[in-house]
Amino acid sequence: LILPAALPVQAHHSFSAEFDGNKNITLTGTVVEMEWVNPHTWLHIAVENADGVAEEWMVEGGSPGVLLRLGWTKDSLLPGTKVIMQGFPAKDGSLRANSRSLEFPDGRVLDAGSSSRRD
């Protein structure tokens, strides 16, 4: 008898179903957490809103394998790292975005392996 493992299942949606490729967004903030999970990595960043209150954004990036091939390491985005994210906002107005690139205070830029290129 073979029993299936009880694992959580995450739905995988196309870029255009979730994000607005016609709008650009820039988020400047501090890394809270980087989730190296498939099918997409998720970067959590604290971004100060217009009222000066920190909001936590979830930013979708490429898969772990894609990011590693682009030069990322598990230490690229440690908590407390300052970043500027260029990407596309969620269509539903939530605090989520799809990242095109990340820039660091020293000027380095990392391609985020965005799914926007493959949709």
Side-chain angles (χ1 to χ4, degrees):
L1 175 67
I2 299 175
L3 298 174
L7 297 175
V9 176
Q10 290 182 319
H12 182 242
H13 303 283
S14 71
F15 170 86
S16 60
E18 293 189 58
F19 303 100
D20 189 342
N22 295 316
K23 292 183 182 174
N24 292 308
I25 188 171
T26 300
L27 299 173
T28 301
T30 304
V31 173
V32 174
E33 176 185 10
M34 177 65 176
E35 294 182 71
W36 288 85
V37 296
N38 279 310
H40 301 284
T41 56
W42 286 97
L43 172 63
H44 299 258
I45 57 175
V47 177
E48 193 173 295
N49 69 17
D51 296 325
V53 177
E55 298 177 322
E56 188 171 315
W57 281 74
M58 287 183 62
V59 180
E60 179 184 270
S63 70
V66 166
L67 296 187
L68 292 170
R69 285 190 296 278
L70 289 170
W72 293 58
T73 70
K74 297 271 184 164
D75 293 330
S76 293
L77 291 170
L78 296 174
T81 304
K82 304 286 187 200
V83 293
I84 301 169
M85 189 282 307
Q86 301 289 330
F88 307 96
K91 285 183 172 179
D92 66 5
S94 64
L95 299 180
R96 291 184 318 117
N98 180 279
S99 181
R100 184 175 50 229
S101 66
L102 288 168
E103 182 178 344
F104 297 89
D106 64 7
R108 286 181 305 125
V109 176
L110 287 176
D111 183 319
S114 173
S115 58
S116 65
R117 293 191 200 118
R118 295 180 282 281
D119 208 27

